[in-house]
Amino acid sequence: MLRIRLVAAVLAGALALHADLDAQARPDSASAGEGRRVLRAAELAGAVRLDGRLDEPAWVEAEPATDFTQSYPRAGEPARQRTEVRILYGPDALYVGARLWDTAPDSIAAQLARRDVTGIYSDWVHVLIDSYLDRRSAFRFSVNPRGVQRDVFHYDDGREDASWDAVWEAAVTTDSTGWTAEFRIPLSQLRFASGIPEGGRVWGLNILRDVARYEERSAWSPWTPRDPGLVSRFGDLTGLDGIRAPRRLEIAPYASTRLDRAPAGKGAPGDPFYRRTEGGTGVGVDARVGLPLGLTLTTTINPDFGQVEADPAEVNLTAFETYFAERRPFFTEGANLFGFGDLAAFTTYGGFGSFYSRRIGRQPQRSVRTGSVVDGQRVLFADVPEQTTIAAAAKVTGKTPGGWSVGLLNAVTTGEDGLFLGEQVAGGDTLRVRGRTEVEPWSNYFVGRLRRDLNRGATVLGGLATATHRRLDDPALAGLLRSSAYHGGVDWEHAWARRTWSFSGYLSGSDIRGERGVIRAVQNSPAHYFGRPDADYLEVDTTRTGLGGYSGGVALARTGGRHWLGSVALQAVSPGFEVNDLGFMDRADYRSASGMLIYREDRPARGLRNYEVSFRTNQAWNYGGDWIYQRYTLRGALQLPSFWRWTLRLAGSPSYVNDRLTRGGPLASIPAQGDVSVTYASDSRKRVQVGGEVFYRADESGEYDFITSASVDVRPRANLRVRLSPAVTLEHDTDQYFGAVARPADDPATFGRRYVFADIDQTTLSLGTRVEWTFTPRLSLQLYAAPYIRAGDYVAFKEFLRPGGFDFAVYGRDVGTVTRDDATGVYRVDPDAEEGSARPFTFREPDFTFLSLRGNAVLRWEYRPGSAVFLVWQQDRERTDSFGDFEIGRDPGALFREPARHVLLLKATYWIGR
């Protein structure tokens, strides 16, 4: 504990030492309404034709935004190229005209790509509008010289939500003196209130320009990466008295059809549920309705939540669930409004997600598979839905003029049944019976989020409430799932010294309900492990029908300044805290302290463009006082004049306790370890870019990981992009958990259980491949393939010897015997070689070689603003062998010879709005 306090004190002291110097060195161009740049919009007289030419008389009458300054690389210096931007408004739209002069027009970077693309080599102009005038959020509209559009929602004064989509238009032209961009942004796509008195409507505004060949960004209202925020640095847009909040209504019906072709020869003989070809159609509608106070109601009926891109393949040998990113538009749009518990810190330990939207519409949780027993029958064949049907969902989001951010979401999923063919014995005869059983109950999910801005956005207070309810009429489901789950809390963030410093925190509690067996299973789950035999502060209560806990955290951070940044954070999650019904968490039962100190220089001496050095530490201990995590990291990053970037990271951990290694058994220790990594990225201005990382980790037990990954990004033409991402991983693990068996009564070691581990050698090979072919900004073809091969070879089986240690006895060498039946692949282990009372145990060959190839092709045509047609083809090949080794001449060929599943999807949407 003394060490943690010392680290925290040193970091906090170092931050405070440089606070005054940096505050004096950095002028604040946007402090609390003083010193802001002002641009006056003009009311549209006549009409504007959206052609990118700015030749209408109305543009001449509008006041220009000029005198842009560099954000980087030379912060504060005048922009290298001249820019003028004018803004008009009409009864239903905002018009923006940008003239972007360039002294070398043949060097303008103008790559063609699909809408909302990131990472391309291109010039851009960005218009950012803070129509809430909260100095924390903004709507960003971007276009490049080829007319590629991108829109982003900024929140919390610097974070981005790229999933936000607006319906707007832009046109561009290029000539001998530069390029021109013309925007039409419907007022319905912004959020603001009506009833503002004359002269009182003001919006925050900034205009950014990117010149790719310089890697330069310039801004109308000065902003640099040294500043602690983005939106708080905006200027003001005035002259908007004639604007009236529109009645917003958007309706987007859709129709889809799907054809699914199963792999040839994959149906088992006699399986009545196997069909080589299946199809289906769907129709539904999404709607957005403007509510008073700037809020929006989004509803969906029979939503189409199919994913265009499949989740990556994986082999999970841990006890913990894999987190997959959300891709369904209804949930990704506005997801930032539901975030909770994120501390304003550069580093933290652990953490949880209060709202993991993939819980809604998840794969049914009751397993019905071959060999299981359902309703007294042994299952021979089963047909279970891949996901739960979402009957309806709705959400209310937005921000009121009084500074209240609102996020309310409710979704209902229907019950799902699984079909099976089983057999039962009656009167000596074996009968085959078709059956139906419920595999997922009717469920209701609710999330409510409320935040209030104070002190002109420098202070934010918020609250959260989530609830899950399940209708558990089936006794089998009632004995498996929680009947209800709740989570609620408050959070805050307060910034001062021109938002250079911040203090943030949260406090929340959880409560779940269910039958005794359900709550007992939660207590023994990997997130909790209440039954650990040497945890005297924990105890499994078999009479419980509920479980509750709390979480909390605080952080002090310095997020702005020319050189010094940093943060310290403290967190705690009690053993009974549980949010996995609607959230996501790996573990409870910890307290932690984290700190980070950063020094950066954006104007170094000759030989570098910029560099950064940082030190980070993370420490954690459980509620029993056991130190469960220690890590120290030193990192350096720099950019050369050639535009290449390099990063070196050194990290190490002394030996500490692991209370999860034996998966509910006694404590173990983790050997001291260290790792090093080097990452690099070439000049982004070139047609061929390369990058990658080399990582190596080793510990005192002989365990190691060697990972090398690379990326190759090729632009053979302005409208074609090819990206390859190969990666190879070599691992030797000395602590792969394998299982547990009972010890004899006369053998008290490790609390009456024998914990079996193994050494395992693993080889993983992957090659992500993307091809993006863009015909026009509204018509594109994307191809994606992800071959993945992973082989695991178990080389030594052994037993855990001593609680609190990292000592093992290898079977057949140190203790007992181990034999393998080559005909059946079954191992037999006798722990004491028949000299004692230990009973032998057996298991099948665990070696594996997993091969997967997932890919798709997506043709997207936006035939009118907001309306699109998608034609999607998906392919999935997968097989598992018991080789355990990796052979480059065998495995890739076997993968491509494996029969594939094919899915063809056609979907059309039509947007109607005003």
Side-chain angles (χ1 to χ4, degrees):
M1 182 66 72
L2 179 60
R3 194 186 323 178
I4 293 297
R5 292 173 179 170
L6 180 60
V7 169
V10 170
L11 290 171
L15 293 173
L17 178 64
H18 296 274
D20 291 338
L21 291 177
D22 277 353
Q24 294 173 12
R26 179 181 51 80
D28 184 8
S29 61
S31 57
E34 298 179 359
R36 298 185 188 276
R37 299 199 70 181
V38 178
L39 179 69
R40 184 173 183 84
E43 186 170 5
L44 176 63
V48 167
R49 181 182 179 184
L50 204 67
D51 55 9
R53 297 189 182 280
L54 306 184
D55 51 7
E56 292 86 359
W59 290 116
V60 179
E61 301 299 323
E63 175 185 336
T66 59
D67 300 328
F68 283 57
T69 59
Q70 290 188 46
S71 299
Y72 53 78
R74 309 293 289 180
E77 291 189 2
R80 300 192 208 188
Q81 301 294 340
R82 179 184 168 198
T83 304
E84 283 189 1
V85 179
R86 292 172 167 84
I87 296 181
L88 305 169
Y89 70 88
D92 56 358
L94 198 71
Y95 296 85
V96 180
R99 179 59 185 167
L100 305 114
W101 280 272
D102 200 307
T103 55
D106 56 342
S107 298
I108 294 173
Q111 189 170 344
L112 188 61
R114 62 178 174 82
R115 180 180 170 131
D116 288 332
V117 70
T118 60
I120 65 172
Y121 176 67
S122 181
D123 289 14
W124 290 90
V125 60
H126 314 272
V127 177
L128 297 91
I129 301 172
D130 175 12
S131 55
Y132 290 126
L133 198 65
D134 59 6
R135 307 298 183 189
R136 294 185 63 87
S137 61
F139 303 94
R140 183 173 109 203
F141 305 88
S142 308
V143 70
N144 83 341
R146 296 294 295 271
V148 178
Q149 295 177 224
R150 186 166 187 247
D151 36 45
V152 174
F153 179 67
H154 292 267
Y155 65 99
D156 288 350
D157 200 13
R159 297 185 178 183
E160 294 186 4
D161 177 10
S163 67
W164 177 71
D165 284 318
V167 180
W168 58 288
E169 299 173 85
V172 296
T173 58
T174 304
D175 56 32
S176 60
T177 60
W179 61 290
T180 303
E182 200 169 21
F183 300 69
R184 182 184 183 276
I185 304 171
L187 297 178
S188 63
Q189 302 304 295
L190 302 172
R191 301 293 181 263
F192 57 96
S194 57
I196 302 297
E198 185 174 350
R201 186 179 299 283
V202 177
W203 290 349
L205 173 70
N206 209 350
I207 304 155
L208 308 177
R209 179 182 180 182
D210 295 337
V211 181
R213 67 182 182 274
Y214 304 141
E215 283 196 0
E216 175 188 292
R217 169 165 288 181
S218 57
W220 168 70
S221 181
W223 168 83
T224 75
R226 305 172 187 173
D227 295 319
L230 171 67
V231 183
S232 57
R233 269 47 201 173
F234 281 16
D236 288 344
L237 179 64
T238 63
L240 304 172
D241 295 340
I243 285 183
R244 297 292 179 264
R247 294 182 178 180
R248 291 180 285 116
L249 175 62
E250 301 176 43
I251 301 174
Y254 83 88
S256 66
T257 183
R258 176 187 176 103
L259 181 67
D260 195 325
R261 181 78 165 169
K266 287 297 185 178
D271 185 352
F273 306 113
Y274 173 75
R275 293 179 180 84
R276 181 76 195 281
T277 303
E278 289 187 306
T281 58
V283 294
V285 63
D286 297 336
R288 293 185 181 90
V289 181
L291 301 178
L293 302 177
L295 303 179
T296 300
L297 170 65
T298 305
T299 63
T300 181
I301 299 173
N302 192 26
D304 177 26
F305 286 144
Q307 291 181 218
V308 170
E309 187 170 308
D311 293 322
E314 65 152 0
V315 176
N316 188 346
L317 299 180
T318 74
F320 304 103
E321 177 186 8
T322 301
Y323 182 93
F324 289 111
E326 178 63 85
R327 295 188 179 94
R328 298 170 296 181
F330 177 84
F331 292 115
T332 57
E333 185 176 352
N336 63 88
L337 285 169
F338 299 96
F340 176 85
D342 292 330
L343 295 174
F346 291 100
T347 182
T348 59
Y349 171 84
F352 62 92
S354 57
F355 178 38
Y356 180 42
S357 56
R358 291 194 63 154
R359 301 291 187 210
I360 304 174
R362 66 188 302 169
Q363 183 179 6
Q365 298 176 77
R366 185 184 178 192
S367 176
V368 178
R369 61 182 182 274
T370 300
S372 63
V373 177
V374 176
D375 300 334
Q377 302 174 58
R378 187 173 67 87
V379 175
L380 300 176
F381 303 101
D383 182 20
V384 178
E386 294 183 357
Q387 61 187 24
T388 305
T389 301
I390 302 176
K395 60 184 179 181
V396 175
T397 56
K399 196 163 193 175
T400 71
W404 289 96
S405 297
V406 178
L408 301 173
L409 182 148
N410 199 83
V412 177
T413 60
T414 62
E416 295 288 350
D417 290 341
L419 305 177
F420 66 90
L421 177 65
E423 65 178 13
Q424 62 182 4
V425 177
D429 296 327
T430 300
L431 304 177
R432 288 196 170 189
V433 180
R434 278 181 177 258
R436 176 188 295 269
T437 189
E438 192 174 15
V439 293
E440 182 74 18
W442 177 96
S443 303
N444 189 87
Y445 301 91
F446 170 80
V447 185
R449 185 75 162 106
L450 197 63
R451 302 178 75 190
R452 175 69 191 277
D453 293 353
L454 302 168
N455 191 23
R456 298 179 180 177
T459 303
V460 180
L461 303 176
L464 169 84
T466 72
T468 303
H469 290 273
R470 298 186 177 95
R471 184 181 296 164
L472 301 176
D473 299 328
D474 189 321
L477 288 175
L480 177 67
L481 305 176
R482 277 89 84 172
S483 58
S484 61
Y486 305 94
H487 175 224
V490 296
D491 60 354
W492 67 89
E493 181 180 346
H494 174 64
W496 67 95
R498 295 172 293 188
R499 302 198 186 186
T500 298
W501 287 82
S502 70
F503 176 68
S504 59
Y506 66 90
L507 180 64
S508 73
S510 69
D511 181 80
I512 61 173
R513 299 290 168 175
E515 292 187 354
R516 293 180 179 181
V518 173
I519 302 302
R520 182 174 66 250
V522 174
Q523 295 176 76
N524 287 320
S525 68
H528 304 278
Y529 285 143
F530 274 29
R532 289 192 287 114
D534 51 357
D536 55 7
Y537 65 101
L538 295 174
E539 182 180 0
V540 176
D541 186 345
T542 60
T543 66
R544 278 182 173 270
T545 57
L547 183 68
Y550 68 86
S551 69
V554 293
L556 173 67
R558 186 162 193 253
T559 57
R562 177 174 179 180
H563 294 302
W564 291 97
L565 309 171
S567 66
V568 290
L570 302 174
Q571 297 167 272
V573 177
S574 74
F577 185 73
E578 172 62 47
V579 296
N580 275 320
D581 288 88
L582 192 49
F584 187 95
M585 57 176 278
D586 282 328
R587 67 161 296 156
D589 185 17
Y590 66 84
R591 299 183 176 100
S592 68
S594 304
M596 190 167 184
L597 188 63
I598 304 169
Y599 179 85
R600 64 186 182 187
E601 177 59 78
D602 59 5
R603 290 194 178 186
R606 293 184 61 183
L608 293 176
R609 283 173 61 88
N610 54 68
Y611 69 85
E612 178 179 299
V613 179
S614 65
F615 172 75
R616 178 176 66 192
T617 179
N618 301 97
Q619 316 280 328
W621 56 99
N622 63 26
Y623 273 58
D626 303 306
W627 214 301
I628 59 173
Y629 190 78
Q630 298 184 68
R631 184 170 174 84
Y632 305 91
T633 303
L634 182 64
R635 176 183 178 273
L638 57 86
Q639 186 181 27
L640 301 173
S642 63
F643 288 83
W644 277 69
R645 291 178 170 86
W646 293 87
T647 301
L648 172 66
R649 187 183 68 212
L650 303 172
S653 299
S655 180
Y656 57 85
V657 169
N658 189 323
D659 60 359
R660 295 296 189 266
L661 185 67
T662 57
R663 302 196 183 182
L667 293 172
S669 65
I670 290 294
Q673 57 186 290
D675 60 77
V676 58
S677 70
V678 177
T679 60
Y680 60 94
S682 70
D683 186 349
S684 63
R685 302 171 301 171
K686 305 298 184 182
R687 285 185 178 271
V688 178
Q689 304 167 48
V690 296
E693 178 179 11
V694 178
F695 171 86
Y696 181 77
R697 179 190 71 87
D699 71 15
E700 292 179 333
S701 73
E703 182 171 298
Y704 67 83
D705 299 287
F706 175 75
I707 304 173
T708 178
S709 61
S711 65
V712 181
D713 194 326
V714 183
R715 295 181 284 109
R717 299 175 58 183
N719 68 331
L720 181 61
R721 184 182 187 189
V722 180
R723 287 180 287 172
L724 302 176
S725 303
V728 178
T729 300
L730 304 176
E731 299 178 65
H732 175 70
D733 294 328
T734 60
D735 57 0
Q736 178 59 54
Y737 180 82
F738 198 72
V741 296
R743 281 187 179 273
D746 59 352
D747 185 356
T750 59
F751 301 95
R753 301 283 289 172
R754 191 182 306 278
Y755 296 93
V756 182
F757 286 78
D759 290 359
I760 181 174
D761 290 322
Q762 296 187 75
T763 303
T764 305
L765 174 66
S766 63
L767 177 60
T769 305
R770 290 184 182 272
V771 178
E772 299 176 0
W773 192 3
T774 309
F775 309 104
T776 73
R778 297 183 182 275
L779 178 62
S780 62
L781 175 64
Q782 294 176 268
L783 305 175
Y784 171 72
Y788 176 88
I789 302 173
R790 183 170 180 180
D793 182 16
Y794 289 79
V795 294
F797 299 99
K798 53 192 179 181
E799 64 179 57
F800 181 66
L801 290 179
R802 178 175 56 83
F806 194 79
D807 302 312
F808 302 90
V810 178
Y811 295 126
R813 188 192 71 186
D814 302 323
V815 296
T817 60
V818 57
T819 59
R820 183 183 186 276
D821 186 332
D822 292 336
T824 63
V826 174
Y827 284 84
R828 183 180 186 271
V829 174
D830 188 339
D832 54 15
E834 300 182 357
E835 296 178 359
S837 57
R839 297 184 59 183
F841 59 92
T842 62
F843 53 87
R844 291 191 174 275
E845 174 65 71
D847 292 351
F848 64 89
T849 298
F850 176 74
L851 304 96
S852 171
L853 174 60
R854 297 183 178 182
N856 61 24
V858 181
L859 181 67
R860 183 183 188 275
W861 175 35
E862 187 178 355
Y863 59 91
R864 63 189 299 270
S867 305
V869 174
F870 296 88
L871 179 61
V872 182
W873 167 70
Q874 295 179 336
Q875 181 189 110
D876 189 357
R877 302 172 188 261
E878 187 174 298
R879 68 179 287 170
T880 302
D881 295 312
S882 58
F883 304 132
D885 61 338
F886 175 82
E887 290 187 11
I888 190 66
R890 177 195 64 199
D891 297 331
L895 172 58
F896 285 95
R897 289 191 299 269
E898 186 69 12
R901 175 190 178 187
H902 298 273
V903 177
L904 189 65
L905 173 68
L906 177 63
K907 177 183 176 181
T909 63
Y910 187 85
W911 181 83
I912 305 169
R914 65 180 187 188

